Amino acid sequence: MPGRLGFEAAARSRLGQAAFRLIWFVALVAALLALAGGAYQGERTYQEVTRPFAELGLRLTPGPAGARLDAPESREGGLADIGRGDEVVAVDGAASPRGWGAERAVARQLRAAGSAVTLRTRSSDGVLRDHRLSRDPGRLTRAQGVTGVSLHGLALANIAGDLAAQLLAVAAAALLFRLRTRERLPALFSLSLLLMVGGSASLWIGQVLP
């Protein structure tokens, strides 16, 4: 009887280890897919959201519902009266959406506009202003501010930095799994690292680069 109980315990232990390995490899695949999707989504966000604003000398900033602008580095032309937190309410006379995802909707309006755009904004104190802005794709590759880094270079650096941090987490998880598969705490920590990387895909999707 003792020998049988020992055999059953050993069988359950092997079964548990096999199940954990299966879960771990599924989590690894999910983490790698999240990394690939994150890099793609970061570049797509730059092209579809950041770029249309940047060509006009505009920058986005987090804020309440709606597409909120940061104070532009340049104060030339129609940019002079734009302040931090101003909300875009219309593009060339067409009302701009508000709420979740407004930045992407306004970016689509800007992409459809011509080389010159009339932007209407509402300041935090409710003042409406019209700004006549000229599109200049060269703004993306010119050095910005004291950093001397272009907007495109900054976007790529943000993507590369996030990707490098996630890759280090996957590498640490792989090392823990390889060296400590029979110990519970390192094994669970290894799995948790992969789950955090895989779960970060939702952060990439909503990311708006500067």
Side-chain angles (χ1 to χ4, degrees), residues 24 28 31-32 35 165-175 190 193-194 197:
W24 190 91
L28 175 62
L32 294 176
L35 287 176
Q166 304 284 2
L167 283 172
L168 286 175
V170 172
L175 288 174
S190 171
L193 286 173
L194 293 180
V197 173

Side-chain angles (χ1 to χ4, degrees), residues 9-102:
R12 286 196 297 269
S13 176
R14 287 193 296 271
L15 182 61
Q17 290 178 16
F20 178 82
R21 288 190 179 93
L22 177 61
I23 294 172
W24 190 91
F25 280 108
V26 170
L28 175 62
V29 172
L32 294 176
L33 289 175
L35 287 176
Y40 168 76
Q41 184 63 36
E43 176 63 17
R44 182 180 175 186
T45 298
Y46 169 76
Q47 295 293 342
E48 295 184 359
V49 180
T50 307
R51 182 169 187 154
F53 285 92
E55 289 180 342
L56 298 170
L58 302 171
R59 299 184 300 174
L60 290 167
T61 188
R68 301 278 172 169
L69 302 175
D70 200 351
E73 290 192 4
S74 171
R75 310 303 294 180
E76 61 184 9
L79 298 171
D81 296 329
I82 294 177
R84 180 177 176 82
D86 287 0
E87 179 188 2
V88 179
V89 296
V91 175
D92 285 341
S96 297
R98 302 191 67 195
W100 182 259

Side-chain angles (χ1 to χ4, degrees), residues 52-204:
F53 285 92
E55 289 180 342
L56 298 170
L58 302 171
R59 299 184 300 174
L60 290 167
T61 188
R68 301 278 172 169
L69 302 175
D70 200 351
E73 290 192 4
S74 171
R75 310 303 294 180
E76 61 184 9
L79 298 171
D81 296 329
I82 294 177
R84 180 177 176 82
D86 287 0
E87 179 188 2
V88 179
V89 296
V91 175
D92 285 341
S96 297
R98 302 191 67 195
W100 182 259
E103 297 92 347
R104 291 184 178 273
V106 174
R108 284 195 294 270
Q109 288 181 302
L110 296 178
R111 291 200 306 271
S115 58
V117 181
T118 299
L119 201 71
R120 173 166 289 185
T121 62
R122 179 187 291 113
S123 64
S124 57
D125 53 4
V127 177
L128 294 174
R129 295 187 178 93
D130 288 333
H131 315 271
R132 188 64 175 172
L133 306 176
S134 297
R135 190 184 306 278
D136 180 9
R139 287 190 175 100
L140 302 172
T141 55
R142 284 199 293 269
Q144 300 292 314
V146 296
T147 63
V149 180
S150 68
L151 289 172
H152 194 200
L154 181 60
L156 292 177
N158 284 342
I159 295 172
D162 287 338
L163 190 60
Q166 304 284 2
L167 283 172
L168 286 175
V170 172
L175 288 174
L176 285 170
F177 180 78
R178 182 178 179 183
L179 299 177
R180 301 286 184 178
T181 52
R182 292 183 180 276
E183 297 184 23
R184 292 184 180 179
L185 184 59
L188 289 175
F189 184 57
S190 171
L191 180 60
S192 69
L193 286 173
L194 293 180
L195 293 177
M196 284 190 292
V197 173
S200 68
S202 61
L203 299 179
W204 292 90

